Amino acid sequence: TPVKIIPMGVDLDVFNGQYRGQKIKKKYNISGPFLLAVGRFAEKKGFQYLIEAMPLILRKYNETKLLIIGFGPLEKSLKDLVAKLNIGCSVIFPEKMSSAELAVYYASSDIFVGPSIVDDSGDTEGLGIVFLEALASNTAVVASRVGGITDFIVDRETGLLVEQENPEDLAQKIMRLLGDSELRKKIAHKGKKYVENNFSWGKVTEQYLFVYRQTLGK
């Protein structure tokens, strides 16, 4: 029997970049580049590698701040790593929040970073809805070349891809975007258009209806 895979959709009424502004930067006293990561504090999200990339980024862009939004079993170890690297002024852990609140963070950030990995059990990123929400918000994305991420992140087109578990590569790609506003705008624009054309709930609903009609037709 043929299998049809239909993705989750993105609510473009919420995630569309309309909340871009200075509110979040003022709240967290961000005067330089604003990096954002969102997800469960679990091994496959790879947040430790992003934290390890921060000292490299701070050497060149010393006013950069990274906000990591989420919760989970690795919260203490991630915060301990930040303290060990002495970058507590540059890495912030806001509390878990609603989609409406999160939309403001996506839209206000300069770069969304998803440092996902294949964990020890072989688990990794599937569709990765947070990436789609960031793309829909007209925010440039840097993401690992693992799992389902490469289904919608085309390197240098809809985002920049990095090797997993590689803080140096993460830092280099993030700094490349920080130093090239035109590239950042280009991939953000293409990413937003890609999500609008393929992952709006309207487009996803059409796919469901098509499969139902085909099934009933048989």
Side-chain angles (χ1 to χ4, degrees), residues 36-38 44-47 50 111-117 125 130-131 141-146 149 160 162 170:
L36 178 67
V38 177
K44 73 175 182 179
K45 295 298 183 180
F47 290 136
L50 176 55
I111 302 172
F112 179 85
V113 189
S116 308
I117 67 167
E125 206 72 63
V130 294
F131 295 93
V141 170
V142 173
S144 299
R145 198 188 301 270
V146 297
I149 291 171
L160 291 189
V162 301
L170 263 175

Side-chain angles (χ1 to χ4, degrees), residues 6 10 21 37 39 86-87 109 134 144 155 158 163 171 174 188 198 200 204:
I6 301 175
V10 177
N86 196 28
I87 52 174
S109 61
S144 299
D155 196 31
T158 56
E163 297 309 312
I174 289 167
N198 296 278
S200 71
V204 171

Side-chain angles (χ1 to χ4, degrees), residues 28 34 43-44 52 92 101 126 145 149 182 194 200:
Y28 295 98
F34 172 13
E43 184 188 357
K44 73 175 182 179
E52 288 171 354
I92 301 164
E101 291 172 306
R145 198 188 301 270
I149 291 171
E182 287 305 309
Y194 183 79
S200 71

Side-chain angles (χ1 to χ4, degrees), residues 2-15:
V3 175
K4 171 73 172 175
I5 298 173
I6 301 175
M8 290 282 287
V10 177
D11 187 346
L12 298 181
D13 289 334
V14 176
F15 302 102

Side-chain angles (χ1 to χ4, degrees), residues 91-165:
V91 181
I92 301 164
F93 292 86
E95 297 298 315
K96 184 172 179 263
M97 59 190 69
S98 68
S99 293
E101 291 172 306
L102 197 50
V104 184
Y105 285 76
Y106 281 126
S108 304
S109 61
D110 296 308
I111 302 172
F112 179 85
V113 189
S116 308
I117 67 167
V118 179
D119 70 16
D120 288 341
S121 67
D123 191 19
T124 191
E125 206 72 63
L127 174 64
I129 195 73
V130 294
F131 295 93
L132 300 179
E133 291 171 348
L135 291 171
S137 301
N138 200 35
T139 298
V141 170
V142 173
S144 299
R145 198 188 301 270
V146 297
I149 291 171
T150 54
D151 291 342
F152 52 86
I153 297 291
V154 178
D155 196 31
R156 297 186 297 278
E157 290 293 323
T158 56
L160 291 189
L161 289 172
V162 301
E163 297 309 312
Q164 65 164 325
E165 301 183 7

